């Protein structure tokens, strides 16, 4: 029988349920893999002792008849979620050694569902980045190709799942931070509708955009994990009270008028012309078109749509997110927690030096940009204009969903690039153009493995992006799951 | 009222008042809203601005803002917005204060107050909800260095910042407005009004100008937490500005602090280094929507307001504006006065007793009206005994003193101390005979037509009877005896 | 050039970030590149009559603020311990900073 860790979350859950494996075995095997794959840099902290203890408790609970959704299953958290029993750094030197007195709501929910947290995954500092090279604790390597970046900012979670170090992990997505690393690492990731997952205990980058989500091997696994993450939280004023369907049950629910051969019959999938414009790499476009052909074979109807302001999303996002970040990161002043400089003459210097030493260049760049667009005389021209553009982009989606049920396109214009290849920040920003629109509109979106690049990129995965209307997670997961029933991209594992 | 004046100058004053709302919990966290605990014992994860924490708005604070808005006849905004005011200060844990900027919850309104015996109204600009900062404790020793300690117990306390238009024209008038506003927020039960604990703090915007001239450059004096300091600070600042201009200088717009010991204000921050607060709508908090139904419910629960009650006292009971204002300075005063009337006392004597003997006694023993040891019923009984001639002014004060000391029952006290006026004719006749015999001179003068001389004799008899005789009776008895 | 080096200095001090001259020059160049190539085209878009969108779900209609009932929960002493233990300097239950001049 193949190693448990080679199997996906669904299979591991079955093995536990049927008593073919214990949580202690399962967790132990993953801990061993994490140790062997330390060179990937996927983890910032591993709690073997705590994990095994939790695994023993889970086995005991199961023996006593318990059967929660994730009972005894190993899982990792992006280090942006605060945890009571492990350090939390958000990938920043600023928070080295910080201990939170409480757990993030998402962390608590997953624990209540029985999941065993093995550790905290590496990330771009304060979730600012798309290559994971902005981590203060070193980059993460792409398990498919050690020269390549894993994407970001949830690069550690993506690499950990791709390398089978954990069957699933949490991530956060502000402008694509779940979808893009999922695509670069050949795994499945979902960012739900803004407001579905509580932001309490998730260290804020851009409050009106941040949203937690699930990263795993398949749509089925994502459905299982997401179902345990979402839900109303009174501690988050932007958390929504919305009835949450059973996502796993929805995966195989037959569509009206559809049959087993053509399960997506009647589903209209919109293809934004702007998302297939120039700048999209040929190998990525080819893989995406092939996935679209398979969706059509499953009965879906492909329709051309327009999202005319898509290109403006880069400007809107990189004004709004830094503006919110410049304010969200003001609490890191070295007074109550976080890095405090050794050298300072007075309070003003203590602030300026502590923050200069604690933050990395990309974080400083966004704080400066954010402070600038909010500063006296520039607010209307930049911040307010960006918020108006944001409404136009959201309205474009609402209009588009009048003629389609889902929207499909690439996650990123290219496959993963090489470590150190994209030194220019602007080039990184522009590469987010496909994920930013759904983020600005607060829409649920997924990345589904759809093949690989060509030539020297033959080992670099390509992701298909699917976007649904607000609260359309079930339909999104259903389509992705049906696609994964007839494709095996999500089953491919890197040779690590 | 106030002697302070700057000949040839008009003083223009507007007040920004920070009112701490009397909620159980804080503005955006569920930590208790209390004063005077060990440092940081009342600071929750949210108040400490720990990474990952988020604000959740307190319904009780919003309801108090609505109550205030209705009380001053303002517009209660159906939609208002919480914004972030960004600046760095050690006792501001998030690096920004959640406040309301472009769209406040209370818009406009008027605060009535009495100045120089006449009723006036101060126009308000707005009142908005915000959170208080923590406290900086200066002058600590940290590893041999002069350090400041940060206590975040106060951080997150709900504040209603009430902004008046620059309509006040003298330090005394500013103080009168501030006192009326203080009385109002306490009356409404939205603030405990404790000045020592900083529950009610004023910032004064002061400028001077030649009468009729456009507004001068203003200076803001921060954190005045006593009406006396407020008045003195404005007096000093107005004089400073006037003298500066008279000496050919110009006023620089700046923020100043009042030093009570020196009785002067000094520069805290000039406009040049004033902050760029980078206000923007708080993305953690959607717009605050207030349903009309909620406003109407609060309106229905609103008590009779001091100004309305004062007006009622004037017509119903013919009290003067000043007396009516005095009796409505607090719910306790008004309640006491009305209880006296309910117990049968007439309005005017009741008012006089409350503003006279009672006020003096409260003042002497540093008690507030709520803790007055003399029940309204007792005072009413006392007034009745004075009216029916049982007590003279002097003996009435003696009975009041006894009541104050805790004795009960006006009649019991009168009897126990034998204070009942003597109306027994024979007893009076006795005293009269004795006095006449002892003072033949006065008797002669009276016979000679000097009516004044009778008063002297009356005085003598009153003295002889320990003030317990009825003066009229004595007068008549004397006349009768002399003319007999 | 949308930004001048004086802007970088101004916002760096607003944001309490010490930047050496080399960093300032690099930031200026990178931020300007973003503004010139990406932001200026957005500024040119006619948005007259368009309401700003502050919360993504507000595009679906009114998104009211949820209010909390006014009930207090006393923080446990343990919280203060953990909080103070995270601080660079603490004394007598307070966070310590260099003398604040006022």
């Amino acid at each position: 029988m193949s190693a448990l860790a080679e199997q996906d979350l669904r299979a591991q859950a079955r093995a536990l349920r049927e008593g073919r494996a214990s949580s202690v075995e399962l967790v132990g095997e993953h801990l061993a893999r994490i140790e062997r794959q330390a060179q990937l840099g996927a983890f910032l902290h591993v709690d073997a002792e705590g994990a095994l203890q939790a695994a023993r408790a889970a086995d005991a609970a199961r023996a006593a008849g318990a059967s929660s959704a994730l009972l005894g299953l190993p899982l990792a958290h992006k280090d942006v979620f605060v945890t009571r029993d492990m350090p939390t750094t958000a990938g920043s030197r600023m928070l080295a050694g910080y201990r939170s007195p409480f757990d993030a709501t998402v962390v608590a929910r997953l624990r209540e569902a029985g999941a065993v947290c093995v550790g905290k995954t590496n990330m771009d500092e304060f979730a600012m980045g798309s290559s994971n090279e902005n981590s203060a604790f070193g980059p993460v390597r792409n398990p498919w190709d050690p020269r390549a970046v894993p994407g970001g900012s949830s690069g550690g979670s993506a690499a950990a799942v791709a390398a089978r170090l954990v069957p699933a992990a949490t991530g956060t997505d502000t402008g694509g931070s779940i979808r893009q690393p999922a695509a670069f690492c050949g795994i499945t990731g979902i960012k739900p509708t803004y407001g579905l997952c509580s932001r309490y205990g998730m260290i804020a980058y851009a409050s009106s955009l941040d949203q937690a989500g699930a990263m795993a091997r398949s749509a089925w696994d994502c459905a299982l994990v997401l179902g345990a993450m979402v839900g109303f939280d009174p501690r988050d004023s932007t958390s929504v009270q919305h009835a949450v369907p059973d996502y796993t049950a929805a995966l195989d629910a037959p569509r009206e008028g559809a049959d087993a051969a053509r399960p997506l019959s009647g589903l209209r999938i919109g293809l934004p012309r702007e998302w297939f414009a120039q700048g999209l790499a040929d190998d990525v476009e080819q893989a995406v078109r092939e996935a679209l052909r398979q969706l059509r074979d499953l009965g879906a109807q492909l329709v051309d749509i327009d999202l005319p302001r898509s290109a403006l999303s880069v400007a809107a996002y990189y004004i709004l997110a830094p503006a919110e970040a410049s304010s969200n990161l003001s609490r890191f002043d070295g007074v109550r927690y976080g890095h405090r400089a050794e050298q300072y003459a007075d309070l003003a210097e203590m602030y300026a030096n502590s923050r200069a030493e604690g933050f990395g260049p990309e974080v400083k760049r966004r704080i400066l940009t954010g402070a600038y667009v909010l500063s006296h005389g520039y607010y209307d021209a930049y911040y307010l204009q960006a918020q108006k553009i944001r409404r136009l982009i959201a309205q474009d989606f609402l209009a588009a969903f009048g003629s389609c049920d889902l929207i499909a396109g690439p996650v990123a214009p290219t496959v993963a690039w090489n470590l150190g290849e994209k030194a220019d920040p602007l080039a990184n920003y522009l590469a987010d153009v496909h994920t930013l629109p759904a983020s600005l509109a607060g829409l649920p979106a997924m990345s589904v493995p759809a093949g690989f690049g060509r030539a020297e990129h033959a080992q670099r995965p390509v992701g298909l992006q699917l976007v649904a209307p607000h609260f359309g997670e079930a339909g999104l997961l259903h389509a992705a799951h049906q696609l994964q029933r007839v494709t095996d991209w999500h089953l491919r594992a890197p040779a690590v | 009222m106030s002697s302070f004046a700057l000949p040839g100058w008009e003083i223009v004053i507007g007040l920004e008042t920070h009112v701490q709302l009397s909620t159980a919990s804080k503005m955006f966290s569920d930590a208790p809203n209390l004063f005077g605990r060990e440092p940081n014992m009342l600071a929750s994860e949210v108040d400490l601005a720990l990474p990952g924490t988020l604000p959740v708005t307190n319904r009780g604070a919003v309801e108090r803002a609505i109550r205030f808005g209705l009380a001053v006849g303002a517009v209660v905004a159906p939609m208002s917005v919480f914004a972030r005011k960004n600046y760095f200060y050690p006792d501001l844990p998030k690096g920004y204060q959640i406040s309301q900027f472009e769209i406040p919850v209370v818009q406009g309104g008027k605060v009535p107050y009495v100045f120089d015996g006449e009723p006036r109204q101060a126009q308000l600009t707005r009142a908005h909800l915000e959170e208080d900062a923590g406290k900086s404790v200066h002058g600590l020793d940290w590893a041999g260095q002069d350090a400041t300690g940060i206590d975040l117990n106060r951080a997150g306390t709900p504040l209603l910042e009430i902004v008046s238009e620059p309509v006040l024209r003298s330090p005394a008038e500013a103080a009168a407005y501030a006192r009326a506003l203080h009385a109002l927020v306490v009356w409404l039960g939205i603030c405990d009004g404790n000045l020592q604990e900083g529950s009610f703090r004023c910032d004064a915007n002061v400028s001077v100008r030649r009468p009729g001239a456009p507004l001068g450059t203003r200076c803001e004096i921060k954190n005045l937490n006593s009406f006396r300091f407020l008045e003195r600070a404005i007096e000093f600042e107005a004089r400073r500005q006037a003298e500066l201009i008279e000496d050919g200088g110009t006023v620089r717009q700046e923020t100043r602090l009042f030093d009570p010991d020196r009785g002067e204000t000094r520069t805290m921050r000039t406009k040049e280094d004033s902050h760029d607060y980078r206000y923007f709508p708080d993305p953690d908090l959607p717009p605050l929507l207030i349903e009309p139904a909620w406003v109407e419910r609060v309106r229905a629960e609103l008590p009779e307001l001091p100004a309305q009650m004062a007006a009622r006292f004037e017509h119903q009971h013919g009290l003067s504006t000043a007396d009516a204002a005095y009796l409505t300075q607090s719910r306790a005063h008004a309640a006491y006065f009305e209880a006296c009337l309910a117990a049968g006392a007439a309005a005017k004597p009741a008012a006089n007793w409350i503003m006279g003997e009672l006020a003096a006694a409260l003042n002497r023993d540093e008690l507030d009206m709520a803790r007055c040891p003399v029940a309204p019923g007792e005072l009413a009984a006392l007034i009745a005994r004075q009216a029916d001639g049982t007590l003279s002014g002097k003996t009435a004060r003696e009975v009041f003193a006894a009541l104050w000391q805790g004795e009960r029952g006006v009649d019991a006290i009168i009897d126990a101390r034998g204070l009942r006026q003597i109306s027994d004719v024979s007893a009076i006749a006795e005293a009269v005979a004795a006095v006449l015999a002892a003072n033949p001179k006065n008797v002669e003068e009276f016979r000679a037509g000097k009516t004044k001389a009778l008063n002297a004799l009356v005085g003598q008899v009153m003295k002889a009877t320990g003030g317990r005789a009825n003066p009229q009776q004595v007068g008549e008895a004397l006349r009768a005896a002399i003319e007999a | 050039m949308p930004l001048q080096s004086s802007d970088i200095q101004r916002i760096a001090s607003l944001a309490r970030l010490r930047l050496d001259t080399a960093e300032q020059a690099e930031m200026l160049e990178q931020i300007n590149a973003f503004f010139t190539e990406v932001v200026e085209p957005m500024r040119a878009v006619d948005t007259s009559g368009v309401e700003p969108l502050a919360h993504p779900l507000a595009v679906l209609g009114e998104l009211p603020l949820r209010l909390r009932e006014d009930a207090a929960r006393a923080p446990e002493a343990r919280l203060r311990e953990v909080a103070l233990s995270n601080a660079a300097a603490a004394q007598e239950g307070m966070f310590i900073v260099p003398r604040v001049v006022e």
Side-chain angles (χ1 to χ4, degrees), chain A residues 14 35 210 276 308 422 432 462 466 481:
Chain A
R14 199 182 299 112
E35 215 177 324
D210 294 342
F276 294 86
K422 271 205 174 108
D432 295 342
V462 173
L466 294 173
H481 175 63

Side-chain angles (χ1 to χ4, degrees), chain B residues 99-110:
Chain B
S99 182
Q100 295 189 303
F101 182 52
E102 279 180 330
I103 313 179
V105 62
V106 172
Q107 303 170 2
K110 288 185 163 65

Side-chain angles (χ1 to χ4, degrees), chain B residues 165-234:
Chain B
E165 293 283 312
V167 292
L168 306 162
R169 289 292 177 268
S170 76
E173 183 178 18
Y177 158 79
R179 283 196 177 86
L181 182 60
H182 178 266
L184 177 61
V185 295
V186 173
W187 184 286
L188 291 170
I190 65 174
C191 174
D192 68 15
N194 190 319
L195 296 157
Q196 292 71 29
E197 295 177 5
S199 299
F200 187 93
R201 321 190 289 264
C202 294
D203 299 344
N205 286 299
V206 180
S207 66
V208 297
R209 65 176 169 187
R210 297 295 183 185
L215 284 174
T217 307
R218 62 185 173 82
C219 290
E220 181 181 30
I221 315 168
K222 282 242 168 258
N223 273 326
L224 298 160
N225 67 347
S226 105
F227 302 118
R228 226 177 77 259
F229 290 173
L230 173 73
E231 198 167 338
R232 283 172 53 207
I234 297 172

Side-chain angles (χ1 to χ4, degrees), chain A residues 245-268:
Chain A
D246 179 341
Y247 296 131
T248 51
L251 293 168
D252 288 301
R255 289 180 57 83
E256 207 161 318
D259 53 57
R262 295 169 62 79
L264 299 183
S265 296
L267 183 75
R268 298 165 305 164

Side-chain angles (χ1 to χ4, degrees), chain A residues 374 379, chain B residues 83-86 99-101 276-281:
Chain A
L374 290 175
Y379 181 84
Chain B
R84 292 184 181 182
K85 181 182 184 180
N86 295 282
S99 182
Q100 295 189 303
F101 182 52
D276 178 346
Y277 289 120
R278 288 156 290 144
Y279 281 100
F280 73 107

Side-chain angles (χ1 to χ4, degrees), chain B residues 245-483:
Chain B
I245 298 167
E246 282 164 356
D247 299 349
T250 53
V251 176
R252 185 176 53 165
Q253 183 174 345
E254 60 187 12
T255 303
R256 300 178 67 88
L257 282 176
F258 178 64
D259 178 342
D261 308 328
R262 286 211 179 72
E264 59 187 40
T265 66
R266 56 181 167 79
T267 301
M268 174 183 173
R269 192 188 320 125
T270 63
K271 185 151 190 298
E272 293 69 57
D273 52 50
S274 77
H275 311 284
D276 178 346
Y277 289 120
R278 288 156 290 144
Y279 281 100
F280 73 107
D282 192 327
D284 289 326
L285 298 166
L288 170 61
L289 305 183
I290 296 175
E291 300 292 323
W294 189 7
V295 177
E296 288 321 306
R297 212 198 70 233
V298 176
R299 192 193 303 277
E301 295 165 357
L302 217 54
E304 185 182 18
L305 299 173
Q308 302 165 349
M309 199 180 263
R312 180 162 61 81
F313 288 176
E314 287 183 50
H315 327 129
Q316 260 182 28
H317 309 305
L319 298 181
S320 72
T321 301
D323 291 2
Y326 182 96
L327 293 170
T328 52
Q329 67 183 269
S330 80
R331 275 173 132 163
H333 281 79
Y336 193 97
F337 173 68
E338 295 210 291
C340 289
L341 301 198
K348 192 61 190 163
N352 290 341
W353 272 99
I354 294 171
M355 295 186 293
E357 284 298 298
L358 185 62
L362 287 170
N363 190 16
R364 184 189 63 233
D365 297 3
E366 288 172 347
L367 291 175
D368 61 330
M369 184 54 108
R371 276 190 236 85
C372 175
V374 178
E378 299 273 26
L379 184 59
L382 175 58
I383 291 167
R385 285 286 165 269
Q386 200 177 1
D388 68 15
T390 308
L391 293 172
S392 66
K394 179 171 175 299
T395 50
R397 280 194 293 282
E398 200 174 328
V399 172
F400 179 84
L403 290 168
W404 189 268
Q405 294 313 322
E407 293 182 48
R408 292 286 166 261
V410 169
D411 288 334
I413 295 168
I414 291 171
D415 295 337
R417 311 197 162 199
L419 297 175
R420 205 169 289 282
Q421 288 195 36
I422 304 164
S423 22
D424 164 0
V425 183
S426 63
I428 292 180
E430 231 170 79
V432 164
V435 168
L436 289 178
N439 303 276
K441 196 158 163 298
N442 302 72
V443 177
E444 282 317 311
E445 288 171 4
F446 178 72
R447 288 220 169 90
K450 272 180 101 192
T451 42
K452 269 222 214 69
L454 187 69
N455 301 348
L457 293 167
V458 171
Q460 292 291 326
V461 175
M462 292 307 289
K463 190 149 168 259
T465 56
R468 291 160 49 232
N470 180 325
Q472 284 92 329
Q473 269 188 335
V474 172
E476 287 151 19
L478 281 166
R479 243 196 216 83
I482 295 169
E483 281 154 12

Side-chain angles (χ1 to χ4, degrees), chain A residues 82 98 101-102 199-201 207 234-238 327-328 330-331 336-337 347 351 355 371 374-376 379 383, chain B residues 45 48-56 84 86 88-90 93-96 152 276 278-281 283-285:
Chain A
V82 298
Y98 176 72
F102 67 98
R199 292 188 296 113
Y200 194 80
S207 312
R235 287 174 302 181
D236 174 359
S237 298
T238 60
S327 178
N328 284 333
S330 292
R331 66 186 58 196
R336 297 164 317 289
Y337 49 77
L347 181 69
Y351 277 133
R355 289 166 59 81
L374 290 175
S375 66
H376 185 68
Y379 181 84
Y383 182 79
Chain B
E45 296 86 342
L48 292 159
L50 297 186
T53 54
L54 296 169
V56 183
R84 292 184 181 182
N86 295 282
F88 286 88
Y89 201 79
K94 294 188 294 295
Y96 59 84
L152 297 175
D276 178 346
R278 288 156 290 144
Y279 281 100
F280 73 107
D284 289 326
L285 298 166

Side-chain angles (χ1 to χ4, degrees), chain B residues 237-250:
Chain B
E237 181 58 21
R239 185 180 286 110
R240 183 189 72 86
Q241 291 181 17
E243 285 169 358
L244 188 62
I245 298 167
E246 282 164 356
D247 299 349
T250 53

